[in-house]
Amino acid sequence: MSSPDSLALSSPLLRPERGGSTRVRVGRFELVLEAVRGGHSLLWGDGREARRFALGLGDIGQLSLQLEPPAWPCRVVVRETLVLAPGARVRGYVQLPLVPVVVGHRANGQDLRLLELANADLGGEWDERFGTTFRVASSWHVRFPMPTGEARATVPLTLFNDAAEMFAPADLPVQLLRQDLFVRRSSIVAAPRRLRWSGQSWNGTPRRRAEVNG
Amino acid sequence: MKRANRRMWSVLTAAAVLTFTAACDNGDKTEQAEIAAELRALRATLQSASTPAPRQTAPDRAALVQALAPLQEALQALANDQRQLAARQIGLTQELQRWTQLVASQATSGTQAELQALTKRLQGLEEAMTAQQAQHAEAEAMVRKALDHTADQLETFLLRLEGASPPIDGDAPGKETPAQPGKEQPGKESAGDATGNAPAAGAAATGGDGAPKRGATGAWLALLLAAFATAGWLWWRRPSPSTRRRLLVDESVGMDEGVEQIWAAAELLGEAVGRLRTPEQVIEPSPARAADESIAVADALGLDDRVFEDTVVEEFVPPAAAPGPAAQSPAETLPGPVASSPAPGQHGVVGPESALFVVPLPFGDQTRAVRALQDVISRDPRVLRRPAPEVVVSAGRAAVRCCLLPTLPPGERSHLEQRLRDAVA
């Protein structure tokens, strides 16, 4: 039985007949696609602000709204204070905002990313050492969080402190790829991650550099 | 007081002497007058001596009071302590009474059944413990009895072995002992008769019945010595405890199957006993166990093993160009498109995509316009929050310098600029 707050990685956004409209709601995001004279109009709102896009779809048959992980690595700042004793571990869940993307499906099977709707919960940062990252605030859930309908991915994390000193991480490096996301328990869940603190840096990343570059 | 009495006695004595002399000497009146004058003088002296006496006691009382003042303070402190102790005792007595009432009320309420059940349970456990102790004692007695029986059997076996061996003791037949007068030695009669005082030499020389018996004794003695020597050599060559197990494993190839099973069972039993004897230790998380936990999480979420293996964490080597900070550097291990396209001289990371928007400010309150610009630019997700955007006002225009997300389409960039313009319009 599907919950009204259940999330899907991809929601179909049917092309309306001329003069008609279709509506899709994912969490607080809402999209209204209207077929107007000479094209389509897409109205997007996240509850705080709204934007209107004018689309020329051409031979694109269908549209879909896909929830994709942030394009850049995330530094998850946990609202609670995590403290790990030497050799200790802690397991929990964090939640990362997902980015709604409007994808057009062509008749030949090709998919086109039409629009990437920015998520205000993702704050981009840049510095000389780490490059571009998203700073994300999340609670440390000790149990699997209940689905709220928000476009967020639940990431199971297991943190290890391999160092000989106490460790209170300032943030947690997490990067998600699209193939890491799955729909479980009416939520979007990422594959479990393990992060090891060696005393100076986090050892272990969800992905190898080559995979990210590829 | 003593001094006053002494003075009074001396005055009375003097008066008596004067009276006596006066009585004895009926002289003229002048003498009587002198005596009377002296008596008056003595009376005056007595009066003067009796009046300062109370004056002298007053300083003594004050000194006594002063000397007793510390004692008085101590007594007062002691009395205070006594009063406090009495108050505490009263409080404790009242508290004890309250606790007693509380326990009594609880015992009388619904917990009485639980208490009875717990008491019964405790009695049952004690009985079980007693029974176990009896069983242990019985087992120990049985083991001790078996050991005694085994020792007896071994002793019997050894005695039997000694009995089967050639006689080497003094009572054995053919034993050549020095002649004992008055004791009959049947096996020695003929030899003694033949050789007189040298039976052994005679026996050896004659080669009679004593020669084969002595040869058998020597053979048994040699055999016994050889057995002892073999045992000693084996004891000396015995393996150390550390190598016993290895030797056991090596030698188990040629062992009987039953012996192997017995040794394996003994080994398992030893391990179990050792595990029971060793105190419980904190099991440190091992990587394998951690992996199992993560797999368990994946299983609980319905993610199959293939999914987890696909995202297994691998050791990541930080970029060589990035300096190793002493503090936490979480994003150092973050791979990303920016880090993968290094620019020379910037630790392998290219700079952000900066943008400069020049927004004409309207006439009037420019402060409000600048605040509106800052509000828009701080909330727009396309603008990086670090480096912090800057708004510089000059000549009626605001220059907004900020960094944008990489790979931002030109339409989004233009849209952002237009938002800024609309904010101050």
Side-chain angles (χ1 to χ4, degrees), chain A residues 50-67:
Chain A
R51 289 183 63 182
R52 182 177 291 277
F53 299 88
L55 304 176
L57 297 178
D59 61 346
I60 292 177
Q62 294 296 333
L63 300 175
S64 66
L65 179 67
Q66 296 183 356
L67 294 178

Side-chain angles (χ1 to χ4, degrees), chain A residues 144-172:
Chain A
F144 191 86
M146 293 292 290
T148 59
E150 293 297 322
R152 288 177 171 269
T154 301
V155 184
L157 279 179
T158 306
L159 308 180
F160 298 88
N161 182 13
D162 291 341
E165 297 86 20
M166 298 288 291
F167 177 53
D171 47 37
L172 308 173

Side-chain angles (χ1 to χ4, degrees), chain B residues 16-375:
Chain B
V17 170
L18 290 176
T19 308
F20 179 72
T21 54
C24 291
D25 190 7
N26 293 324
D28 50 1
K29 294 180 181 179
T30 55
E31 290 178 352
Q32 291 180 355
E34 290 175 0
I35 290 170
E38 285 186 5
L39 281 175
R40 270 188 235 105
L42 282 173
R43 195 174 298 155
T45 306
L46 281 175
Q47 286 178 354
S48 62
S50 60
T51 47
R55 287 177 190 169
Q56 289 176 356
T57 54
D60 293 339
R61 186 175 296 172
L64 183 62
V65 171
Q66 187 177 1
L68 292 177
L71 184 62
Q72 186 179 3
E73 293 177 357
L75 286 175
Q76 287 179 353
L78 191 62
N80 290 333
D81 290 343
Q82 283 293 118
R83 280 194 293 272
Q84 290 178 358
L85 283 175
R88 286 183 59 187
Q89 190 173 3
I90 291 171
L92 287 173
T93 306
Q94 291 176 352
E95 189 173 356
L96 184 62
Q97 287 177 355
R98 286 196 296 269
W99 277 108
T100 307
Q101 291 174 358
L102 184 64
V103 170
S105 63
Q106 286 184 353
T108 53
S109 63
T111 58
Q112 190 171 5
E114 295 181 2
L115 285 175
Q116 288 180 355
L118 286 174
T119 307
K120 286 182 180 177
R121 172 72 175 160
L122 183 62
Q123 289 177 356
L125 288 174
E126 287 178 348
E127 289 175 358
M129 192 170 66
T130 308
Q132 283 186 354
Q133 286 181 352
Q135 286 181 357
H136 288 166
E138 191 176 349
E140 286 181 0
M142 188 175 65
V143 170
R144 195 177 297 117
K145 188 177 178 182
L147 285 175
D148 292 342
H149 185 63
T150 305
D152 292 341
Q153 280 189 345
L154 185 61
E155 191 176 356
T156 306
F157 175 74
L158 290 175
L159 287 175
R160 195 181 307 152
L161 188 64
E162 288 177 357
S165 65
I168 55 176
D169 292 336
D171 56 352
K175 171 79 173 177
E176 292 141 355
T177 58
Q180 295 180 2
K183 183 176 181 180
E184 290 186 359
Q185 295 181 359
K188 215 177 137 184
E189 279 185 1
S190 57
D193 293 341
T195 60
N197 292 331
T206 55
D209 292 344
K213 287 177 182 175
R214 192 176 59 214
T217 303
W220 279 110
L221 189 61
L223 185 62
L224 195 61
L225 288 175
F228 276 126
T230 307
W233 182 75
L234 288 175
W235 182 82
W236 182 65
R237 289 292 306 273
R238 77 189 194 282
S240 63
S242 60
T243 57
R244 274 178 198 164
R245 185 169 177 159
R246 179 175 53 81
L247 292 175
L248 188 66
V249 174
D250 295 340
E251 291 171 357
S252 64
V253 178
M255 279 184 179
D256 190 14
E257 189 176 356
V259 176
E260 281 185 28
Q261 289 179 356
I262 290 172
W263 276 110
E267 199 170 352
L268 289 175
L269 186 62
E271 288 181 0
V273 170
R275 201 175 303 135
L276 286 175
R277 283 182 178 175
T278 37
E280 188 176 356
Q281 297 175 350
V282 178
I283 301 174
E284 293 296 330
S286 62
R289 187 180 173 197
D292 292 340
E293 284 191 356
S294 299
I295 291 173
V297 173
D299 291 341
L301 295 176
L303 305 174
D304 51 2
D305 291 342
R306 182 187 59 79
V307 173
F308 179 77
E309 291 297 330
D310 189 26
T311 59
V312 68
V313 176
E314 299 181 6
E315 289 296 323
F316 179 77
V317 180
Q328 180 203 3
S329 57
E332 186 178 65
T333 59
L334 292 174
V338 173
S340 64
S341 56
Q346 287 196 351
H347 301 293
V349 179
V350 297
E353 185 179 355
S354 62
L356 177 63
F357 304 114
V358 180
V359 181
L361 296 177
F363 294 105
D365 190 2
Q366 293 188 350
T367 306
R368 188 194 59 81
V370 170
R371 195 174 297 130
L373 286 175
Q374 290 174 342
D375 184 43

Side-chain angles (χ1 to χ4, degrees), chain A residues 51 72-73 87 89 123-124 126-127 129-131 160 170-171 173 175 180 182 184-185 191 194 197 202 204-205 207-208 213, chain B residues 285 290 293-294 300-302 307-308 310-311 313-314 325 328 330-331 333-335 338 340 350-352 384-386 412:
Chain A
R51 289 183 63 182
W72 304 94
R89 68 180 186 278
W126 187 95
D127 59 21
R129 288 173 53 195
F130 309 135
F160 298 88
D171 47 37
Q175 185 177 15
D180 294 339
F182 305 92
R184 297 288 186 276
R185 301 183 184 179
R194 296 195 301 267
W197 177 254
W202 289 104
T205 53
R207 286 291 168 183
R208 287 171 292 184
N213 292 340
Chain B
E293 284 191 356
S294 299
L301 295 176
V307 173
F308 179 77
D310 189 26
T311 59
V313 176
E314 299 181 6
Q328 180 203 3
T333 59
L334 292 174
V338 173
S340 64
V350 297
L384 297 182
R385 296 172 188 172
R386 196 172 61 175
E412 294 290 334

Side-chain angles (χ1 to χ4, degrees), chain A residues 193-214:
Chain A
R193 309 297 167 105
R194 296 195 301 267
L195 296 176
R196 290 185 172 276
W197 177 254
S198 65
Q200 292 194 348
S201 63
W202 289 104
N203 285 334
T205 53
R207 286 291 168 183
R208 287 171 292 184
R209 183 185 295 270
E211 292 175 339
V212 176
N213 292 340

